[in-house]
Amino acid sequence: MTNLPPPAEELRLLDAELWHLDARRAVLLQRRAWLIHTLRSAAASRGGQDGGAVPPVWPGRGSGFAHRPEATAPGVQNLLLVLGGVLLTVAGVAFTLVGWGHMGIAGRSLVLGAVTVGTLGAPVALLRRGLTSTAEAVAGLGLALTVLDAYALYQVAFTGTDVLTYTAAASAVLAGAWAAYGLGSGSKPATDAPGEEGTEQKAARLMLRLPLPLATATAHLPLLLWALAAGAGPPTLTAVLLVTAAAGAAVALRTGSVPVRIVAAVGSLGTGAVGVVSASLLTWSASAPGTAVRSAALLALAASTALVVARFVPKPDVAVGAAMTAGLCVAAGAGGMIRVSLPGAWTVPGCLVCGVALLAAVRTPLPRTSRRGLVLASLTVQGLAVVWAVPVVAGTLLGPVAGVGRPWSGVPRDIRAAVFTDVPWPPHAATVPLVLTVVAGVLAVVARRGEGRRPAAAVGALVLGWAAVLVLPLVLELSYGAGLVAQGAVVVGALGCAEWARRATDGASPLTLTAMILALVTSVALALVSLASEAVTIGVLVVLTLLFGAAGPRPGTGPFAAPAALVHATALACAIGASIGLQPQHTALLVLVVPALAALVAARPVGSSTTAPVEGAGAAAGLLALVLAATDPPMLALVLSLGGVIAAGTALRRERRPVAHVAAVFFLLATWVRWAAWDVTTPEAYTLPVTVPALVVGFLGRRRDPALSSWTAYGAGLAVTAVPSLFAAWGDPHWLRPLLLGTAALAATLVGAGNRLKAPLVLGGVVLALVALHELAPHVAQVVGLLPRWAPPALAGLVLLALGATYEQRLRDAQRVREAFGRFH
């Protein structure tokens, strides 16, 4: 057993221990304060290269762990110093602008000289005492006073001088003076803090961090201001901007101070961007070769500066961006010279050649980042060239859509007129195939030699080569027949490429998929172009149907080619119907051949990947047939019956047995539509002889197979009478049919509930509810008419309030449960 001291003795021991802890804590806090001061002084002496990082300040026992201060001590100090400097600067500005005229020459000189010299000298003394933040604030005030001195000097001695000239000279003088002041303001603290053992450490030399960045920023102004004062034109101003950007880049690359480097880099980037944009505008707006050459020389200056930056900058991303900028500047300059030297159609090809030439940088001894940037610049130029060619390709594909509204209007004079009937031909489009071919060739070389980007490059080369061949007949203005043959050859070539890619890769690949998509797109465009002539339309659709039908059995191209063949066959059926003068409802019978053919093709063992697309295309054709026959009820009933036959034939396959329900629905709909066409007012006379045997057969079937669904056993038998009777009862003003139908529905509902059968329960319940609604509808309408208009919104508001109150109560209950769990340990 442990002997515990008496309470009084234990309290005395605890107090003694706490006193020792407090004493030790005071010693540790004093040592910690000295260490923080030492680290901040060392960081300031190194120009903030390590960010002035100091250990985090952890709250002590007396500060309270639950309440952290909202502002740090350095933050409060900096805020006070900045606020004080701003207020003093404002006071100086007010004095200079307002009180300046009340003093003589001697008074002005004495006041400004004394205040400026005193303000600029104070930071040196503050640095010796280690007060770096205060020294920075006072130095900022002194630098602001120098600007006021320059303004005051202009008002006294240089009033007649041009404002821009004086501002340029003043900014140059101020930049040099601030740089000298920043370099010469270094000082060492007069005293060093003792260590814990009483030793003294030497502090590093402290320097002001504000003057040098301000001098760097101001140094960007003199040259530009002098050029503006001299009335320089846009080329000279652009050259000044580029020279200033080059000087700023040199400072950013050579300096060791982080603030100076940031200011120089930002200034160089800003002036350089404006200069490059200005030089590009001058190059592309030049009207003579000489002017274009001078503007291109400015872009060459920008490119050389960017390459130097890419060579010496330490960050790889910045180096890549700089090299890319250099490549784009070279391409823009060369393109501007080509624009004024060659016809307009050759401007983009010339720029493209310059962009492709940048790829030669891969074989040069340039750094890897520079080579990568130049390659990116080349890809950018090629991408812009492809974007320039997009309108022609898009017009080739979408232009024939306008011919749908005027089919068989006559053979046009050439293929361009057939495609660009309602769309204008883009200017300078004669070289579009050449541009697409060049870029496709580059991608083909990349696909052949590259390792990581082969599939993407091969797909790009295929797409661009297809686009070039597609627009070539329009550029050459071939005859209408020759243009159709050329587009048909493109379809054949795309299918052949897909088959070659399938064999080369032993299966599906991105190249195979792309080739099939291109073949489908081209076939649609070809079919639309053929709408100009009746005979041409039928001939083209026959050829496309046979062509894709031949490619359908292929395992790789079948999922695309087989449904495409069915789609073209559907269009062919519609075209034949229109050609022989059939009405739309009679054309529907021709269209039904396509679903029947699809059912036969899907029944063959051609692979699961082809079966579903073929059946989908057949279903779409069947839906089109229903739409065409919708205006003629007798023909619609016939189409529904034939659709039911096709669905029933599909259901004979073991994996498609559920399609039997669709066949049953089609047969029922066909029956109902036929009754509606015959104006049958008593459908029960036709449906009951079917319903009773169907229910008997369903009952016997469930006795043999208890697992048989009630929908299969009783669904069709009940629906064949319930649905027509419901429609008839809904429009019957008498009471007998609704009464009998409601009684039968109630009986079906009770039987379904008693035997737990879904089909009688659901069908009987729905019919019973609709019959009841039909009987109550007049009374409901009468009651609603008697209610005031504000009653429904009021009722809705009460419901929402009740829901909101319930929701709030549930939230309170959840809060109580959370609090109860929170009290557990």
Side-chain angles (χ1 to χ4, degrees):
M1 297 295 292
T2 303
N3 294 324
L4 296 176
E9 181 66 16
E10 185 179 1
L11 179 61
R12 186 186 64 80
L13 294 175
L14 290 176
D15 289 338
E17 186 67 17
L18 290 174
W19 183 86
H20 286 296
L21 289 176
D22 288 338
R24 180 61 178 168
R25 181 174 180 276
V27 174
L28 293 176
L29 287 176
Q30 183 179 5
R31 176 63 179 172
R32 181 178 177 280
W34 180 84
L35 290 174
I36 291 176
H37 174 71
T38 302
L39 290 174
R40 287 176 176 168
S41 300
S45 65
R46 290 193 296 270
Q49 294 180 3
D50 57 356
V54 296
V57 181
W58 297 97
R61 182 172 60 89
S63 62
F65 290 97
H67 303 283
R68 298 184 62 183
E70 296 182 356
T72 60
V76 174
Q77 166 191 302
N78 294 334
L79 177 62
L80 294 176
L81 292 175
V82 171
L83 185 59
V86 169
L87 292 177
L88 289 175
T89 304
V90 171
V93 173
F95 168 76
T96 304
L97 297 178
V98 179
W100 183 253
H102 301 289
M103 302 180 63
I105 298 297
R108 301 172 188 176
S109 304
L110 181 62
V111 171
L112 280 178
V115 173
T116 304
V117 172
T119 305
L120 293 177
V124 179
L126 293 173
L127 288 177
R128 292 178 181 176
R129 299 182 62 86
L131 302 176
T132 56
S133 299
T134 306
E136 294 287 351
V138 177
L141 175 61
L143 298 179
L145 289 176
T146 58
V147 178
L148 296 177
D149 290 341
Y151 171 75
L153 187 61
Y154 173 77
Q155 291 292 333
V156 172
F158 299 98
T159 307
T161 308
D162 181 63
V163 176
L164 287 177
T165 304
Y166 181 80
T167 304
S171 59
V173 173
L174 288 175
W178 290 350
Y181 177 68
L183 295 174
S185 62
S187 177
K188 291 185 177 181
T191 59
D192 292 329
E196 189 176 14
E197 292 82 7
T199 61
E200 294 186 356
Q201 300 179 359
K202 297 295 184 181
R205 187 171 181 265
L206 302 179
M207 292 182 61
L208 293 174
R209 291 178 291 179
L210 187 60
L212 289 179
L214 288 178
T216 304
T218 308
H220 289 79
L221 300 177
L223 194 58
L224 179 60
L225 292 176
W226 268 319
L228 291 173
T236 305
L237 291 176
T238 303
V240 167
L241 288 172
L242 294 177
V243 170
T244 304
V251 173
L253 292 174
R254 300 297 298 175
T255 185
S257 175
V258 175
V260 175
R261 185 185 305 129
I262 293 175
V263 172
V266 171
S268 176
L269 183 61
T271 55
V274 176
V276 168
V277 171
S278 177
S280 301
L281 293 176
L282 291 174
T283 302
W284 285 86
S285 62
S287 57
T291 306
V293 169
R294 287 193 295 270
S295 301
L298 296 176
L299 288 173
L301 174 61
S304 60
T305 303
L307 280 179
V308 172
V309 171
R311 173 65 179 83
F312 293 101
V313 72
K315 293 186 177 181
D317 294 339
V318 178
V320 171
M324 181 179 176
T325 303
L328 293 176
C329 289
V330 171
M337 292 187 295
I338 293 173
R339 187 188 67 85
V340 297
S341 303
L342 298 177
W346 293 97
T347 301
V348 175
C351 295
L352 179 60
V353 171
C354 297
V356 174
L358 292 175
L359 294 176
V362 177
R363 303 296 182 181
T364 61
L366 291 173
R368 182 175 179 272
T369 54
S370 299
R371 285 181 280 136
R372 182 182 176 188
L374 293 175
V375 170
L376 290 177
S378 174
L379 295 179
T380 302
V381 174
Q382 296 179 54
L384 292 175
V386 172
V387 170
W388 171 77
V390 164
V392 178
V393 181
T396 304
L397 295 176
L398 301 179
V401 176
V404 176
R406 49 176 186 275
W408 302 343
S409 57
V411 177
R413 65 178 185 276
D414 54 34
I415 189 63
R416 183 190 294 183
V419 174
F420 285 85
T421 303
D422 299 330
V423 181
W425 177 254
H428 308 305
T431 55
V432 168
L434 176 61
V435 170
L436 295 174
T437 303
V438 171
V439 180
V442 173
L443 292 178
V445 173
V446 174
R448 182 180 179 85
R449 299 182 180 180
E451 296 181 358
R453 299 180 177 85
R454 283 185 178 180
V459 169
L462 176 61
V463 172
L464 295 179
W466 162 82
V469 177
L470 184 67
V471 302
L472 183 60
L474 281 76
V475 173
L476 299 178
E477 295 186 84
L478 298 180
S479 64
Y480 180 67
L484 292 177
V485 173
Q487 288 195 354
V490 174
V491 177
V492 175
L495 290 175
C497 182
E499 180 64 20
W500 171 82
R502 183 190 66 82
R503 294 181 179 180
T505 57
D506 295 330
S509 65
L511 195 62
T512 304
L513 177 61
T514 304
M516 283 305 305
I517 293 175
L518 296 179
L520 295 175
V521 172
T522 310
S523 67
V524 173
L526 177 59
L528 292 175
V529 174
S530 68
L531 290 176
S533 172
E534 177 181 348
V536 173
T537 301
I538 296 176
V540 167
L541 290 176
V542 169
V543 172
L544 291 177
T545 301
L546 296 177
L547 185 61
F548 282 97
R554 304 290 182 178
T557 60
F560 301 93
L566 294 177
V567 172
H568 290 303
T570 303
L572 176 61
C574 295
I576 292 175
S579 176
I580 62 180
L582 295 179
Q583 297 295 324
Q585 60 270 22
H586 298 100
T587 305
L589 296 177
L590 293 177
V591 176
L592 276 180
V593 176
V594 177
L597 182 62
L600 294 176
V601 173
R604 298 180 59 190
V606 294
S608 59
S609 60
T610 306
T611 302
V614 166
E615 291 178 343
L623 181 61
L624 176 62
L626 292 176
V627 172
L628 292 175
T631 57
D632 189 357
M635 188 58 64
L636 178 60
L638 178 60
V639 171
L640 286 171
S641 300
L642 295 177
V645 172
I646 296 172
T650 303
L652 295 177
R653 294 156 49 197
R654 179 173 301 176
E655 68 277 8
R656 290 293 185 265
R657 292 293 168 81
V659 183
H661 300 287
V662 179
V665 171
F666 276 5
F667 286 135
L668 287 176
L669 291 175
T671 303
W672 297 338
V673 171
R674 174 58 63 182
W675 290 340
W678 286 343
D679 293 330
V680 174
T681 58
T682 310
E684 293 83 2
Y686 300 91
T687 59
L688 287 177
V690 178
T691 296
V692 174
L695 294 179
V696 172
V697 172
F699 176 74
L700 296 177
R702 280 187 59 82
R703 289 189 63 181
R704 288 184 181 180
D705 185 9
L708 186 65
S709 171
S710 64
W711 290 103
T712 304
Y714 306 117
L718 292 174
V720 72
T721 296
V723 176
S725 298
L726 180 62
F727 279 100
W730 196 262
D732 193 350
H734 303 288
W735 58 272
L736 182 58
R737 177 180 277 115
L739 177 60
L740 295 177
L741 181 59
T743 303
L746 177 60
T749 304
L750 294 177
V751 171
N755 296 278
R756 297 183 180 181
L757 300 176
K758 287 185 177 180
L761 180 62
V762 173
L763 289 175
V766 171
V767 172
L768 182 60
L770 291 176
V771 170
L773 179 62
H774 171 264
E775 295 302 315
L776 293 177
H779 304 286
V780 172
Q782 184 178 4
V783 172
V784 172
L786 294 177
L787 290 176
R789 294 187 177 181
W790 54 264
L795 180 60
L798 290 176
V799 172
L800 293 178
L801 287 177
L803 292 176
T806 304
Y807 183 71
E808 183 179 6
Q809 183 62 36
R810 297 296 179 269
L811 290 179
R812 290 181 179 178
D813 294 341
Q815 181 66 24
R816 293 194 191 99
V817 172
R818 187 163 54 250
E819 292 176 354
F821 277 105
R823 289 193 291 268
F824 289 119
H825 294 284

